[in-house]
């Protein structure tokens, strides 16, 4: 198994537009990806369609990801998650299951619409891990 990156993922409670502007001003960050909830699900409530589901910002050699998050409640375990990119679905499942055994699967692994195996688990220490494994 190769983990190619561990990237901070910020859940900013509906303030993604402000966070993007701030990081652009402070760091010269470039938005390399931006998806809104309405882009992925046209049936979501109208008030949610323009909220940022996922954004990636690059500056220097660094990348951060962020999201407005769920409008109804803050995420369990806080507002920072560690996003892992993996290359082996079997190993991703094994690692996920080990963390979930003593922690909690927030979003069980599933076949995501972007062509990856994706899931979120909170470990027993309260750290949230986002697994993204590109399928062969």
């Amino acid at each position: 198994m190769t983990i190619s990156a561990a990237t901070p993922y910020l859940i900013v409670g509906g303030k993604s537009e402000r966070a993007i502007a701030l990081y652009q001003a402070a760091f010269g960050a470039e938005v390399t990806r931006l998806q809104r909830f309405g882009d992925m699900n046209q049936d979501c409530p109208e008030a949610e369609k323009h909220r940022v589901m996922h954004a990636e910002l690059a500056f220097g050699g660094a990348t951060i990801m962020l999201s407005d998050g769920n409008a109804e409640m803050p995420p369990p375990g806080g507002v920072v998650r560690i996003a892992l990119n993996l290359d082996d679905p079997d190993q991703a499942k094994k690692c996920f299951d080990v963390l979930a055994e003593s922690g909690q699967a927030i979003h069980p692994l599933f076949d995501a619409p972007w062509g990856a195996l994706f899931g979120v688990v909170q470990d027993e220490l309260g750290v949230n891990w986002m697994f993204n494994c590109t399928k062969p």
Side-chain angles (χ1 to χ4, degrees):
M1 168 182 70
T2 300
I3 297 174
S4 61
T7 305
Y9 202 112
L10 310 176
I11 309 299
V12 296
K15 297 180 182 176
S16 287
E17 299 291 345
R18 174 65 188 131
I20 290 168
L22 178 63
Y23 301 146
Q24 285 175 322
F27 307 119
E30 175 187 348
V31 177
T32 57
R33 179 174 290 169
L34 180 70
Q35 295 172 296
R36 300 187 184 276
F37 283 96
D39 297 337
M40 295 299 287
N41 179 6
Q42 290 298 314
D43 295 329
C44 73
E46 192 63 36
E48 295 293 305
K49 286 187 178 184
H50 297 289
R51 290 172 58 90
V52 174
M53 182 184 83
H54 175 74
E56 293 179 18
L57 290 87
F59 48 97
T63 298
I64 62 169
M65 299 179 195
L66 58 90
S67 173
D68 279 326
N70 185 333
E72 298 170 13
M73 69 176 86
V79 296
V80 177
R81 295 181 174 178
I82 299 170
L84 298 175
N85 291 316
L86 301 105
D87 64 357
D88 181 333
D90 291 333
Q91 282 298 115
K93 183 173 178 3
K94 179 180 175 188
C95 294
F96 186 95
D97 290 345
V98 168
L99 293 176
E101 186 175 323
S102 61
Q104 176 185 358
I106 303 298
H107 197 301
L109 289 169
F110 75 104
D111 290 324
W114 54 89
L117 186 65
F118 180 81
V120 180
V121 62
Q122 183 179 80
D123 70 22
E124 66 185 76
L125 303 171
V127 176
N128 284 292
W129 298 88
M130 300 172 72
F131 282 71
N132 190 72
C133 184
T134 305
K135 295 189 289 186

